[in-house]
Amino acid sequence: MTNTRRVVYVIGFSAPPVLQLAECIALLRERELDSYVILSPTAATWVDVDHLAKVSEHPVRVTPRTPSEPDPLPDADAVLAAPLTFNSLCKWAAGISDTLALGILNESLGLPAPVTAAPCVKKALRAHPAYQPGAARLEEAGVSILDPDDHVRRGPDGLAVLAWPSVVASVTR
């Protein structure tokens, strides 16, 4: 049976909203989108990877495949980097591919699939001199960067949460 649903790579980094990534996957599924989750190594230690694999119906990728392994990822119709940290945004803008997650984001800039980023970055870090030039460089490359002031809130426990419905809506526009 051939999968006819559109494919979204959901690439998560180690910010608190990664703890609710299953919500994002469920919202994408409601829109008939098939999610393939790729996590940074640190983010993978924060979440239940097996649960995310079950929810997405695909293995979660954290490490690169070996040269003899076939590529387990189909071509993406869209890419979502969420949550995206200060560190990861700056590395991505500099072209650093020291994790599978960053490598895929760097490759995505040369593909036709639209790329959306939902940074989860504190105001103090957004004032850092590396943030704005990095974000501007990614936007010049075609990345749609969502404003953290519009998409990040504090949950009852004080941790940052993403407004997943609006993030998913941004991806599917």
Side-chain angles (χ1 to χ4, degrees), residues 48-67:
D48 183 340
V49 172
D50 292 334
H51 177 68
L52 288 177
K54 184 177 180 180
V55 172
S56 69
E57 300 178 356
H58 305 288
V60 173
R61 299 292 313 282
V62 178
T63 59
R65 63 183 172 87
T66 65

Side-chain angles (χ1 to χ4, degrees), residues 6 10 52 69 86 107 113 120 128 136 146 148:
R6 294 180 51 219
V10 179
L52 288 177
E69 289 178 299
F86 169 81
E107 287 180 16
C120 182
H128 189 283
L146 306 179

Side-chain angles (χ1 to χ4, degrees), residues 52-121:
L52 288 177
K54 184 177 180 180
V55 172
S56 69
E57 300 178 356
H58 305 288
V60 173
R61 299 292 313 282
V62 178
T63 59
R65 63 183 172 87
T66 65
S68 62
E69 289 178 299
D71 189 347
L73 297 173
D75 291 341
D77 296 298
V79 177
L80 171 62
L84 183 66
T85 62
F86 169 81
N87 186 49
S88 296
L89 182 143
C90 292
K91 283 183 170 186
W92 184 16
I96 296 170
S97 293
D98 61 354
T99 65
L100 176 65
L102 281 167
I104 290 174
L105 286 178
N106 280 313
E107 287 180 16
S108 72
L109 297 181
L111 300 175
V115 181
T116 303
C120 182
V121 178

